[in-house]
Amino acid sequence: MLQPLPKFKYHPDPIATGSVKQSTEICQCCGLIRGYVYTSNVYAEEELQDQLCPWCIADGSAAKKFDAAFSDDYSLIHEGIDQSIVDEVTQRTPGFDTWQQEVWLTHCNDACQFLGDATKYDLFELAIGKGQLVDADDWGNPDFAEMAKYYEPKGSPALYKFRCIHCGTILYGMDCN
């Protein structure tokens, strides 16, 4: 029987987002078969994708042992987020796959929770003003209702959904290949 995954404040359901999957692989950090592995980017000297368990990410041992990060810190530092939060997101939270460099969104002076790829329904919500596209100036003023006709999660353009842990505001980041 699989044990419950550790809780990640900034990535509450890494299985649903695809950043963690069931596996019989041995974790390269703790040496155990825990039943799950992390599937996204690992910024480290060694190739560690699909080789680390979520527990070694959560307790920081994977980041420490391999001098690794699971997300880029630039967007968080650029927004003036406290270093302890930057460390939690980049060293003790599963990251997520993007076409370009990932941007972890912030709100209320904190990192937001990553909820995964937006759905077509989310694009319709954006079209009627529910939610906010971050850095919209970079994208102009997209017609989300039109975009929703062709949008596919994990496609291009990609739309990533975040939620503020303080006020519940829904934010979206956009990326393309």
Side-chain angles (χ1 to χ4, degrees):
M1 181 172 178
L2 296 174
Q3 62 181 328
L5 287 174
K7 301 288 184 206
F8 296 101
K9 179 178 182 177
Y10 297 106
H11 196 151
D13 196 350
I15 292 175
T17 66
S19 294
V20 170
K21 69 176 182 181
Q22 286 190 351
S23 174
T24 58
E25 294 295 319
I26 296 171
C27 174
Q28 295 303 306
C29 185
C30 66
L32 300 174
I33 299 172
R34 306 293 291 263
Y36 294 97
V37 293
Y38 172 65
T39 64
S40 193
N41 298 317
V42 181
Y43 301 101
E45 292 285 325
E46 296 181 45
E47 175 57 46
L48 295 166
Q49 189 170 4
D50 294 333
Q51 297 185 38
L52 296 172
C53 74
W55 291 267
C56 288
I57 293 172
D59 69 11
S61 59
K64 185 176 181 179
K65 181 175 183 174
F66 298 106
D67 191 25
F70 304 99
S71 295
D72 186 63
D73 63 2
Y74 177 80
S75 61
L76 299 165
I77 291 170
H78 179 73
E79 292 297 321
I81 300 302
D82 184 86
Q83 188 62 46
S84 65
I85 296 168
V86 173
D87 292 346
E88 182 171 351
V89 171
T90 61
Q91 299 171 18
R92 296 186 304 280
T93 301
F96 59 98
D97 290 333
T98 61
W99 290 108
Q100 311 297 323
Q101 192 71 33
E102 72 278 338
V103 174
W104 205 286
L105 299 186
T106 64
H107 199 263
C108 292
N109 208 28
D110 200 348
C112 291
Q113 289 181 319
F114 176 68
L115 302 178
D117 285 88
T119 64
K120 286 187 178 201
Y121 179 78
D122 290 325
L123 270 73
F124 288 115
E125 291 281 293
L126 270 167
I128 61 171
K130 292 186 177 178
Q132 175 186 349
L133 178 64
V134 175
D135 291 330
D137 293 339
D138 294 343
W139 296 95
N141 188 9
D143 182 345
F144 292 108
E146 182 66 23
M147 184 193 263
K149 292 179 187 176
Y150 308 103
Y151 175 79
E152 293 295 329
K154 307 270 185 235
S156 182
L159 203 63
Y160 307 109
K161 186 175 183 177
F162 291 82
R163 178 180 50 228
C164 176
I165 63 172
H166 300 284
C167 70
T169 295
I170 299 296
L171 302 157
Y172 297 91
M174 199 166 175
D175 192 16
C176 65
N177 65 357

